[in-house]
Amino acid sequence: MSQHVEIVEVGPRDGLQAWPKPIATSARIGLVERLREAGARRIEVGAFVAPDRVPRMADTADVMAATGSRERAGDMVLVANRRGLDQALENGARAIAVFTAASDAFALKNIGRTVDASLERFAPLVGVARAAGVFVRGYISTITDCPYTGEVPPEAVAPVARALRDMGCGEIALGETLGRATPRRIAAVIEAVSDHVPLEDVAAHFHDTYGLGVANVLEAVRMGIRTVDAAAGGLGGCPFAPGATGNVATEDVLYMLEGEGYETGLSMEKLLDAVAYCESGLGIAPVSRVYKARRGA
């Protein structure tokens, strides 16, 4: 199996979407630029969603224009509906993400409809995007736990992954939204999904609420997944998932993967510069262990 693991940097979108204070557009631009300098080839730069619900993403078009995201295959934006897709296409996006969940209760809170209804809504959008030559990722949130109904069984995740795959999503991102799972539970989900989607087309998207994000990433990689989401500095949190903290930190994942013999193409020192900018440029203190060990006062 390949020893390369692709880290998708989600800090500029998933890392900032729930931040309670305004963030200057120039600061978001500065973060993307520093992540590029660190070697990030795939970056989730923003989202075209309702600005009244997710105000931190309202300037995504400006961030794309300033950072050269137009026609850049490695840059991705999240879209929630046809209007969002049209905005993404107008701004030259070459990769988009749509999102659903494995829990109806979470899907209703997040996007106002059940899982099945969300799949029906996104299917035509995926078709339009694919016809335009745009790569599509499909996110599945709450793959192990829902904040409203509790544990989610693996057999609830697999059919959602298959539905996203069947409608044309080229990548399925398994989102452990609450950061509660252990490696054993992550393995059960991956095993269930692997019966429907090749693991080379699956990404791991884990949060770190209980400090197990890196362990869960290692388990996913051990099982064959080679695409991992992470956010510089451990930024993140979902506005519709009470109690969830940030994404697993990019620098923590990088340290673990390099120590286990995997190659990512990222520079640790330049990545830590980007993490430092989270505090100096965005006013958000990094929470990662590696940053504190290497750059902490």
Side-chain angles (χ1 to χ4, degrees), residues 125-134 136:
L125 302 188
V126 174
V128 171
R130 290 285 303 274
V134 171
V136 183

Side-chain angles (χ1 to χ4, degrees), residues 179-217:
R180 294 178 182 173
T182 61
R184 177 184 59 83
R185 298 181 65 206
I186 291 295
V189 174
I190 293 172
E191 184 174 0
V193 168
S194 68
D195 290 335
H196 302 276
V197 181
L199 288 184
E200 59 263 31
D201 297 329
V202 176
H205 181 105
F206 302 151
H207 287 240
D208 202 30
T209 309
Y210 282 73
L212 289 171
V214 170
N216 289 337
V217 167

Side-chain angles (χ1 to χ4, degrees), residues 76-133:
M76 178 170 59
V77 292
L78 190 80
V79 304
N81 48 36
R82 180 56 192 262
R83 181 183 179 187
L85 173 61
D86 288 344
Q87 290 176 307
L89 296 177
E90 288 165 5
N91 284 279
R94 302 313 307 157
I96 66 162
V98 297
F99 55 100
T100 184
S103 158
D104 278 331
F106 185 80
L108 284 165
K109 285 282 187 179
N110 194 16
I111 52 181
R113 51 187 70 202
T114 64
V115 173
D116 286 344
S118 70
L119 292 171
E120 291 177 5
R121 172 164 133 182
F122 284 125
L125 302 188
V126 174
V128 171
R130 290 285 303 274

Side-chain angles (χ1 to χ4, degrees), residues 79-274:
V79 304
N81 48 36
R82 180 56 192 262
R83 181 183 179 187
L85 173 61
D86 288 344
Q87 290 176 307
L89 296 177
E90 288 165 5
N91 284 279
R94 302 313 307 157
I96 66 162
V98 297
F99 55 100
T100 184
S103 158
D104 278 331
F106 185 80
L108 284 165
K109 285 282 187 179
N110 194 16
I111 52 181
R113 51 187 70 202
T114 64
V115 173
D116 286 344
S118 70
L119 292 171
E120 291 177 5
R121 172 164 133 182
F122 284 125
L125 302 188
V126 174
V128 171
R130 290 285 303 274
V134 171
F135 180 82
V136 183
R137 163 186 274 202
Y139 275 111
I140 308 175
S141 298
T142 61
I143 62 165
T144 61
D145 296 274
C146 171
Y148 310 108
T149 59
E151 289 194 12
V152 175
E155 54 268 26
V157 183
V160 183
R162 180 169 182 170
L164 289 168
R165 175 79 171 180
D166 289 346
M167 74 173 65
C169 291
E171 183 174 78
I172 311 300
L174 302 178
E176 205 285 86
T177 311
L178 300 189
R180 294 178 182 173
T182 61
R184 177 184 59 83
R185 298 181 65 206
I186 291 295
V189 174
I190 293 172
E191 184 174 0
V193 168
S194 68
D195 290 335
H196 302 276
V197 181
L199 288 184
E200 59 263 31
D201 297 329
V202 176
H205 181 105
F206 302 151
H207 287 240
D208 202 30
T209 309
Y210 282 73
L212 289 171
V214 170
N216 289 337
V217 167
L218 181 58
E219 181 66 5
V221 171
R222 184 191 68 79
M223 294 189 69
I225 286 178
R226 291 294 180 268
T227 302
V228 174
D229 291 3
L235 301 180
C238 176
F240 309 107
T245 59
N247 294 274
V248 63
T250 310
E251 56 274 23
D252 289 351
V253 171
L254 177 59
Y255 180 84
M256 180 273 292
L257 289 174
E258 288 184 340
E260 292 298 308
Y262 295 96
E263 184 274 326
T264 66
L266 293 178
S267 161
M268 177 64 83
E269 290 308 311
K270 290 184 178 180
L271 176 60
L272 291 175
D273 289 342

